Amino acid sequence: MDKQLIKSNSILIINSGLFLLSSMALYFAYLTYSNTFIKFGFVSGWILFLTLALHVLFNIRKMCAFLPVGSSYFWMQVHIYVGFFAVVAFFVHMQEHSSSGLIGLILQWLFYILIAGGVTGLIITRLMPYRLAIHQEEVIYERIPALREAIKKKIKDIIALSVISTESTSISSFHKQKLEKYLDGPKYFWLHILNSSRPYSRIRYEMEGFERYLNETEKDFFMQIRELVTLKTHLDYHYAVQTVLKYWLFLHIPFSYAIMAFSIIHLILVYAFSGDM
Amino acid sequence: MANKSTTIQRPQRWDTPFDPEMKDMDIVPILKTPLLSNIDQSEFPKSASFKDILQNDSRLVSYKAGDIVVRKGDYGHSAFIILSGNVRIIIGEGLPESMLGRVSLKKKSIIKVISQIWGRSRYPEERNIDDLNSIIYLEKDLNKFSKEHRTSLGSVQKIINNYQTLPMQSGAIFGEIAALCRTSRTATIFAEKDTELLEIRWQGLRDIRKRCAEFRKYIDDLYRQRSVNIMLFETKDYKHLDDKELNEIAIKTKFETYGDFEWFSSYKKMKSMSAQEIIENEPLILKEGNFSDDLIIIIGGFARVSAKINHGHRTVGYLRKGDTFGLKELTYNMHSKSKLPFQRSLRAIGYTDILKIPADLVEKHLVGKNKLSYTEYDENQPPLSIALPETLDTKLDPSLLEFFVEERFINGTETMLIDLEKCTRCDDCVRACCQTHDNQPRFIREGKKIGKYLVTQACMHCSDPVCLIGCPTGAIYRESSKGHVVINEQTCIGCQMCAKSCPYQSITMVEIRDKKGVHIVDQKTSLPILKAAKCDFCMEQIVSPACEKACPHNALKRLDMQDIKAIEKWISN
């Protein structure tokens, strides 16, 4: 096997190895102790609870960047692989302690949502940056609305100039009919998420169709407008992709706090009603 | 009703004199010093007369026998003139660190670090008005030699017996290299007997040098002469040589300067040129295809190594202080019948100081004593394959290399690079910067982009920090321990010189506010008081730098651009 490949993927190999070993150890422990005097349901439950607590700690670590508690990258790796381990722990725990009550059911579904969100987040954070990196410009998300407004204003200025220079309102009319709405706010959100080229081709089709009716002077102005419209489409692309990158966490973090809260309730109830267990 | 603005008097150039106790009568004996007595005072304007410069930018300092005046490696801002007594320079290997009394920079305690969670300001750029109104001296840095922190070497005779030293007598000047060149002190100097020195901070030295041509020539000649000796002593390839051999080399070595020391002005003009025009405008030190009998050592600035390709020149690497050029061609020519010309061109990037050592001395003292081997002659091997020195054996993509050189990012020692294919634009780095700087981020996650790499506008803590040049008060300076460039806010007068000088737009001028969020304004003009702000590399924090540690995807890295291997390693990961 290529040494360079191994070296550059060493973290992946080590972490995957640790995950496999710990999952095998847990499953082996389950097989060995599930029918003995040790209530393995409690053991697997605590393991699951601690893995969830570790996940929540990652978010707290982010708020304390000045504390020497390891790099965020290290915590992220722990978060991902302990997450996979939590899936194993969950299913082991479910063998011992299948949920029938309301709290159990809520916990179960919260867990499914969390795992789905986490895996989705992993895919998003691995795929989306590539797509942004190959795009021409790098844009800060919070600046997009201001940049969009600046493009709108610049196009209006060009149109005003074209009306004075060419004594024709054709470009101005086209702008009112086709462009004004397009320039007003982000467009084609889901098409950009799917990395479709349709947003570009649609607007290009409209503009090319109109351009044939212009004279040379008008075409010069229209070319500037076309470039700005393309820039606006790039901004929409960035807006769509960065929105997903920023806001998927809103589907993940609230559920993590919810699952912690319900886990604590579950713990209390289990110990309260466990009897001689 | 709007809150009434807080007013203070705008700080001025000499609000913080080097020594506030310096009086007119102290200047009189100083003017009799041989070096200063010949200066024509009429060449100085009334607004900044020679006496004013001495009174505000210099101070008298006394040292007892054995006291260290400057330590090798510390970043200095001043030069010294010996008024009475004498000092000794330690040459050769130098003193061990333990004897130099080095103090590491004081980080915040864990309690203070944790208290940052709830102690954050409500308003942007909040400041404590009391801090601004008090005069704080420049010497906050622990490694500066105030009387409380002076280190003594003990017995002077013991030092002289055990280490190589050279004396300097009354009237001589030292420390000018570090003060003028924005570099670290090149040697440790201590007082041989009770000595009185005139310490001139670099702003004063700069102003005197600017006005007086004779003084300027003297200082520049001294710089050239001393740089040769220091460079030879410091270069690892020459460490095996004794004094006689080193002197033989030093006498025959030529010192040359290329380019403009204030390169950042011409750099901005060159931005409008094409890549090839930029290269062709760079001063040519050596042309590919020419022959030379000298080994070149870079002792200041940077140099571009390029190969002619088609109608242009391709950058294959860059050299910095201590690197050599032409060694393989020279050693190849030493014992082969056919002579090989230089396989690459060498050009000055901005400015470059070089030493040229004749080939016969290279052969006599370096090659053949098993210190450096001859380049093997193989008639089957095309000459082009042997030319590159080891330092240029880089695996970096050529486009990336060209980009780093053209944008002068090679200057950075803590350049922030972001891999955009890993970066999720989460801004955890910016948030971490806020958390460690009282809710004010000290960088913006934007900058020049090449392929998938972004070089952000975070201070790179340059090896040649041109931002220091224009500062009238020395508020922006290099701290002693790790050479990071920092700003002392109390002495910053908001003149914007550093922000305008910085070629990378890494310094921002901020309008400061009081605790109520109201702008602090100048008493006379009512204009907001400005302070320069930039990345300080989290010097006072336990975790440094917070931005790098906060990135969850390992996308952000602070890199020393002079360490090509580290850049290659990060890119390959």
Side-chain angles (χ1 to χ4, degrees):
Chain A
M1 198 182 277
D2 187 23
K3 275 185 184 173
Q4 185 59 35
L5 196 65
I6 295 170
K7 200 176 172 187
S8 58
N9 289 298
S10 54
I11 293 170
L12 177 67
I13 294 167
I14 292 167
N15 291 348
S16 303
L18 285 170
F19 158 67
L20 283 169
L21 279 171
S22 50
S23 300
M24 280 163 56
L26 179 64
Y27 192 65
F28 180 73
Y30 160 69
L31 290 174
T32 309
Y33 297 109
S34 61
N35 292 318
T36 67
F37 63 93
I38 297 171
K39 303 295 176 189
F40 200 73
F42 281 84
V43 173
S44 62
W46 273 108
I47 290 172
L48 188 56
F49 181 76
L50 288 171
T51 60
L52 294 173
L54 203 60
H55 282 89
V56 171
L57 272 176
F58 179 39
N59 202 36
I60 295 170
R61 184 250 172 266
K62 282 193 181 191
M63 296 176 203
C64 307
F66 38 79
L67 289 177
V69 291
S71 69
S72 194
Y73 176 65
F74 169 78
W75 277 84
M76 175 60 96
Q77 294 298 301
V78 167
H79 188 82
I80 292 169
Y81 287 94
V82 170
F84 289 135
F85 178 74
V87 175
V88 175
F90 175 78
F91 283 108
V92 166
H93 185 63
M94 290 295 284
Q95 303 304 310
E96 287 285 308
H97 186 82
S98 57
S99 53
S100 51
L102 181 64
I103 302 291
L105 216 56
I106 291 171
L107 267 173
Q108 192 178 342
W109 281 100
L110 278 174
F111 189 84
Y112 292 149
I113 293 168
L114 261 179
I115 290 297
V119 171
T120 308
L122 190 62
I123 295 167
I124 287 170
T125 54
R126 294 300 181 263
L127 288 181
M128 298 295 204
Y130 276 106
R131 289 170 47 184
L132 288 175
I134 59 172
H135 239 257
Q136 291 170 342
E137 300 288 334
E138 187 59 27
V139 185
I140 292 179
Y141 184 75
E142 288 76 12
R143 289 212 183 131
I144 290 175
L147 289 169
R148 206 184 289 130
E149 285 303 309
I151 289 172
K152 253 172 79 173
K153 186 182 177 302
K154 201 160 181 188
I155 287 175
K156 282 185 177 166
D157 291 344
I158 294 170
I159 289 168
L161 207 59
S162 76
V163 168
I164 296 167
S165 302
T166 62
E167 293 178 0
S168 162
T169 57
S170 337
I171 297 175
S172 173
S173 305
F174 177 79
H175 172 259
K176 207 165 180 67
Q177 286 165 15
K178 302 282 185 185
L179 292 183
E180 205 169 34
K181 206 175 169 190
Y182 180 72
L183 295 170
D184 194 22
K187 293 285 180 289
Y188 299 121
F189 182 89
W190 292 107
L191 283 176
H192 283 307
I193 298 295
L194 295 170
N195 208 20
S196 169
S197 60
R198 280 206 316 215
Y200 293 94
S201 57
R202 272 186 195 175
I203 198 70
R204 191 173 61 239
Y205 175 76
E206 298 272 5
M207 297 188 87
E208 276 173 3
F210 174 72
E211 202 175 358
R212 67 183 70 201
Y213 307 119
L214 302 174
N215 63 28
E216 288 309 312
T217 315
E218 285 171 326
K219 276 182 184 173
D220 287 339
F221 286 108
F222 199 66
M223 182 57 66
Q224 293 176 55
I225 293 172
R226 274 187 74 168
E227 283 170 9
L228 287 166
V229 168
T230 307
L231 205 61
K232 193 265 174 188
T233 313
H234 288 323
L235 276 179
D236 287 348
Y237 179 86
H238 265 273
Y239 175 79
V241 175
Q242 289 199 46
T243 299
V244 170
L245 276 170
K246 281 192 187 303
Y247 291 107
W248 76 268
L249 278 169
F250 281 89
L251 298 175
H252 191 63
I253 292 176
F255 288 108
S256 68
Y257 286 116
I259 206 172
M260 282 307 294
F262 277 98
S263 298
I264 292 167
I265 296 170
H266 175 69
L267 264 171
I268 294 167
L269 289 173
V270 162
Y271 276 100
F273 294 101
S274 61
D276 62 349
M277 291 172 78
Chain B
M1 192 167 91
N3 286 332
K4 202 174 165 189
S5 300
T6 305
T7 62
I8 62 168
Q9 191 179 20
R10 182 182 294 278
Q12 303 296 320
R13 157 85 167 91
W14 281 328
D15 267 0
T16 47
F18 205 22
D19 183 358
E21 289 167 26
M22 195 82 160
K23 300 283 182 287
D24 278 346
M25 56 189 187
D26 297 322
I27 308 296
V28 173
I30 293 170
L31 289 172
K32 291 177 184 168
T33 313
L35 189 59
L36 302 176
S37 61
N38 294 329
I39 290 176
D40 182 2
Q41 296 188 35
S42 64
E43 287 171 353
F44 293 77
K46 282 183 187 167
S47 55
S49 68
F50 183 54
K51 282 185 183 170
D52 284 339
I53 292 170
L54 285 178
Q55 189 165 347
N56 289 287
D57 286 332
S58 72
R59 62 182 182 182
L60 294 166
V61 279
S62 303
Y63 291 86
K64 295 207 175 308
D67 281 350
I68 296 178
V69 180
V70 295
R71 289 179 300 190
K72 186 177 174 180
D74 276 359
Y75 287 99
H77 310 280
S78 52
F80 298 82
I81 297 174
I82 306 171
L83 298 177
S84 67
N86 56 276
V87 301
R88 280 199 165 251
I89 309 169
I90 297 175
I91 58 175
E93 287 293 326
L95 297 174
E97 288 281 296
S98 52
M99 284 183 76
L100 294 176
R102 283 214 148 92
V103 181
S104 55
L105 200 72
K106 209 173 179 184
K107 301 263 182 186
K108 283 184 182 175
S109 66
I110 190 77
I111 307 288
K112 274 198 168 174
V113 162
I114 293 169
S115 68
Q116 287 174 132
I117 299 171
W118 54 79
R120 290 181 216 161
S121 304
R122 286 178 62 198
Y123 302 103
E125 306 297 346
E126 250 183 58
R127 299 290 188 276
N128 186 346
I129 196 76
D130 294 329
D131 286 344
L132 294 173
N133 277 330
S134 65
I135 293 179
I136 308 284
Y137 302 117
L138 286 170
E139 315 246 327
K140 278 174 73 175
D141 193 314
L142 280 178
N143 285 331
K144 295 283 189 235
F145 283 96
S146 64
K147 288 176 186 167
E148 294 77 29
H149 287 103
R150 216 162 267 176
T151 304
S152 176
L153 293 173
S155 163
V156 170
Q157 199 52 53
K158 210 173 167 185
I159 300 294
I160 294 171
N161 292 341
N162 294 336
Y163 298 94
Q164 287 179 287
T165 61
L166 284 174
M168 286 186 86
Q169 306 300 337
S170 179
I173 186 170
F174 62 91
E176 75 289 345
I177 296 175
L180 289 174
C181 301
R182 310 184 291 266
T183 59
S184 54
R185 298 286 186 197
T186 51
T188 299
I189 297 175
F190 66 95
E192 187 177 351
K193 47 178 126 170
D194 289 1
T195 300
E196 197 180 30
L197 304 174
L198 177 72
E199 185 179 4
I200 308 178
R201 62 184 176 186
W202 73 270
Q203 290 88 344
L205 197 69
R206 170 199 65 195
D207 288 348
I208 299 171
R209 193 175 156 271
K210 190 175 160 186
R211 300 284 172 201
C212 180
E214 212 175 299
F215 184 83
R216 183 168 61 247
K217 187 178 178 310
Y218 173 75
I219 293 294
D220 288 358
D221 287 346
L222 206 60
Y223 165 66
R224 286 198 180 92
Q225 180 201 323
R226 287 177 177 172
S227 295
V228 171
N229 292 344
I230 287 158
M231 200 58 216
L232 289 175
F233 286 132
E234 283 188 343
T235 308
K236 63 178 184 342
D237 292 335
Y238 300 87
K239 283 195 185 306
H240 62 284
L241 300 174
D242 61 33
D243 284 349
K244 192 181 165 193
E245 290 165 331
L246 278 170
N247 282 329
E248 186 189 353
I249 296 172
I251 289 164
K252 292 183 184 172
T253 295
K254 285 173 273 181
F255 174 98
E256 291 178 5
T257 299
Y258 293 84
D260 177 12
F261 193 61
E262 297 189 359
W263 57 267
F264 46 97
S265 314
S266 55
Y267 160 70
K268 286 178 183 173
K269 286 179 202 162
M270 283 163 91
K271 300 295 277 170
S272 57
M273 295 182 188
S274 69
Q276 290 310 319
E277 281 172 336
I278 290 171
I279 289 188
E280 279 156 19
N281 271 285
E282 285 174 354
L284 184 64
I285 302 171
L286 263 171
K287 194 176 174 183
E288 182 182 333
N290 282 3
F291 292 89
S292 175
D293 287 330
D294 298 318
L295 175 70
I296 294 181
I297 305 177
I298 309 294
I299 59 165
F302 297 92
R304 184 201 298 259
V305 181
S306 61
K308 189 137 174 56
I309 186 162
N310 220 14
H311 299 291
H313 305 272
R314 199 190 89 180
T315 303
V316 296
Y318 51 90
L319 303 181
R320 56 266 180 191
K321 187 178 171 182
D323 288 340
T324 57
F325 181 82
L327 184 62
K328 288 202 174 183
E329 287 93 330
L330 275 183
T331 54
Y332 178 90
N333 291 341
M334 276 166 198
H335 75 130
S336 71
K337 290 174 189 171
S338 63
K339 296 295 172 195
L340 193 68
F342 281 112
Q343 300 297 292
R344 298 288 182 264
S345 296
L346 188 70
R347 287 178 165 80
I349 305 173
Y351 92 96
T352 313
D353 290 342
I354 64 167
L355 296 179
K356 282 182 165 179
I357 302 176
D360 58 331
L361 293 176
V362 172
E363 186 170 17
K364 184 179 172 186
H365 295 296
L366 297 178
V367 180
K369 283 190 179 183
N370 291 328
K371 294 300 170 188
L372 292 170
S373 54
Y374 287 105
T375 303
E376 289 301 316
Y377 173 61
D378 179 356
E379 61 184 40
N380 296 318
Q381 195 180 40
L384 271 171
S385 65
I386 65 161
L388 289 176
E390 277 179 24
T391 48
L392 298 179
D393 190 22
T394 174
K395 297 180 185 67
L396 280 183
D397 182 74
S399 307
L400 200 59
L401 201 56
E402 299 274 11
F403 172 73
F404 287 152
V405 171
E406 273 160 23
E407 297 295 336
R408 303 281 198 268
F409 291 138
I410 55 175
N411 201 1
T413 63
E414 302 289 1
T415 306
M416 185 188 287
L417 283 169
I418 297 180
D419 182 341
L420 293 171
E421 286 183 358
K422 289 181 185 173
C423 174
T424 58
R425 284 60 168 183
C426 63
D427 280 329
D428 273 359
C429 47
V430 181
R431 256 189 292 279
C433 187
C434 277
Q435 287 172 15
T436 50
H437 293 88
D438 195 25
N439 246 6
Q440 320 300 330
R442 289 302 179 222
F443 78 97
I444 309 168
R445 191 178 45 80
E446 64 178 9
K448 297 269 170 72
K449 185 182 160 188
I450 176 83
K452 65 173 186 170
Y453 299 107
L454 181 73
V455 182
T456 63
Q457 287 169 334
C459 177
M460 302 199 298
H461 300 275
C462 299
S463 54
D464 180 19
V466 295
C467 49
L468 264 59
I469 295 175
C471 181
T473 61
I476 186 165
Y477 69 103
R478 272 200 201 277
E479 54 86 24
S480 315
S481 57
K482 290 184 180 162
H484 293 129
V485 179
V486 296
I487 297 171
N488 181 357
E489 269 208 352
Q490 278 81 4
T491 51
C492 173
I493 62 173
C495 66
Q496 304 185 55
M497 280 301 297
C498 54
K500 288 175 183 170
S501 296
C502 177
Y504 316 107
Q505 292 146 32
S506 300
I507 303 175
T508 316
M509 301 308 295
V510 298
E511 293 174 357
I512 57 173
R513 299 170 194 238
D514 60 19
K515 293 288 180 193
K516 292 176 187 168
V518 180
H519 280 103
I520 298 172
V521 300
D522 180 37
Q523 279 173 355
K524 286 182 193 166
T525 62
S526 300
L527 290 172
I529 297 285
L530 298 176
K531 295 286 179 186
K534 68 171 196 67
C535 163
D536 62 358
F537 210 68
C538 301
M539 257 190 4
E540 293 177 321
Q541 300 290 330
I542 298 172
V543 173
S544 166
C547 50
E548 186 182 301
K549 298 288 184 287
C551 181
H553 304 287
N554 212 23
L556 187 153
K557 190 78 178 162
R558 303 301 289 264
L559 286 164
D560 182 355
M561 300 305 281
Q562 298 179 44
D563 186 354
I564 292 185
K565 294 289 177 203
I567 303 170
E568 285 174 7
K569 189 181 172 191
W570 180 70
I571 284 172
S572 65
N573 281 345

